[in-house]
Amino acid sequence: STRAALSAATAADGGSRGGGAANDAAGTEPRLAGILWHQGESDAVSAELADAYEPALAALVDTLPPSCGSADAPLILGELGLGFLDASDGGRFAYAPAVNGAICTVAAAAAAQGRRVGVVSARGLGHRGDRLHFNAEAARTLGERYARCWLSLASAARTMGGADAGGSGASDGAHWLGTDTTPLFGVGYAIEPDRAALVSGELAAEAVLE
C-alpha cells in the first residue's frame, strides 16, 4: 500500500529527517504534512482522457491522504500552464482547458465537503522554450504559491480547532476554498468568502517565506 511504501522509504532513510530509527525509538509512524499534486498534461491530448480525468482525480483526492495514514493532511492541486501549452483546436494539448477545469472543480467540491484542499494558479508563469515545462523562475514562483496555500490551509486548521490544534479533527478546507470567485494568488476560481481572514493568511505566509 501507499502507507507501507512510505514507511519503508522512511526506514531506509536511516532517520536523517527524523524518520527511520528515530520513529522506531519514539514508537511513531511517519506522517505526511501535506500532498502537492501537479499533473494533467498527458491527459490533455484527447477528449477521452480529458473526460476521464475529473472522476479519476476526485477518487485520488478521496483516497490518497488516508492511504498514506494522513487523512487530514492538506492536499493542494496545481493548475496546468495554460498560458503556454498549445491548447488550440488541433493543438498538442487541445483539451488542457477541460483538464484544468476538472482540477479546479474537484478542489472546490472537496473543500465544500470540509476537506483541507486547495488549488494554486499557474497564471503568468513561463516555459523553458518547449511550451510544456516551467522554466526555473516559474518553478520557484509556483513553489511559493504552493507554500502560501499550504500555510493558509494549515493555519486555518490550527485557528479553527482542526486536528492540528487538538480539536475534533474536522477539516477546514471549505473556509479557504468555497463558492466565491475572489482571486487567491492570481487565481479567479472558487475561493473562500472571508477576504479579511484570507489577507491575514497571505501576510503570515509572506513573513514565513521571507
Side-chain angles (χ1 to χ4, degrees):
S1 69
T2 306
R3 187 173 186 178
L6 176 64
S7 296
T10 305
D13 174 50
S16 62
R17 289 182 296 234
N23 280 326
D24 291 340
T28 62
E29 294 185 10
R31 179 179 180 279
L32 291 179
I35 299 170
L36 310 183
W37 177 263
H38 202 102
Q39 184 276 339
E41 291 86 353
S42 61
D43 296 280
V45 299
S46 74
E48 181 180 5
L49 290 172
D51 288 344
Y53 192 81
E54 185 173 327
L57 182 61
L60 180 139
V61 168
D62 287 342
T63 60
L64 182 58
S67 76
C68 295
S70 302
D72 63 335
L75 194 160
I76 304 169
L77 310 178
E79 286 191 310
L80 303 185
L82 292 184
F84 54 76
L85 291 175
D86 182 4
S88 61
D89 186 20
R92 181 181 178 187
F93 302 107
Y95 299 91
V99 172
N100 206 64
I103 290 169
C104 297
T105 297
V106 167
Q113 296 169 4
R115 305 280 300 284
R116 227 187 302 178
V117 177
V119 62
V120 297
S121 173
R123 183 174 300 173
L125 301 183
H127 61 98
R128 64 183 192 187
D130 58 1
R131 298 190 65 183
L132 175 59
H133 299 98
F134 295 107
N135 60 30
E137 181 181 2
R140 285 191 294 271
T141 299
L142 187 63
E144 290 176 357
R145 293 176 183 177
Y146 268 113
R148 292 185 183 111
C149 191
W150 185 88
L151 287 167
S152 294
L153 291 168
S155 175
R158 288 193 295 271
T159 302
M160 301 177 70
D164 289 346
S168 65
S171 175
D172 306 302
H175 176 73
W176 296 98
L177 186 61
T179 57
D180 168 325
T181 54
T182 305
L184 173 60
F185 312 128
V187 192
Y189 293 106
I191 301 300
E192 57 86 27
D194 185 356
R195 184 62 185 170
L198 175 61
V199 170
S200 174
E202 286 178 345
L203 294 175
E206 289 286 358
V208 171
L209 289 171
E210 290 175 358

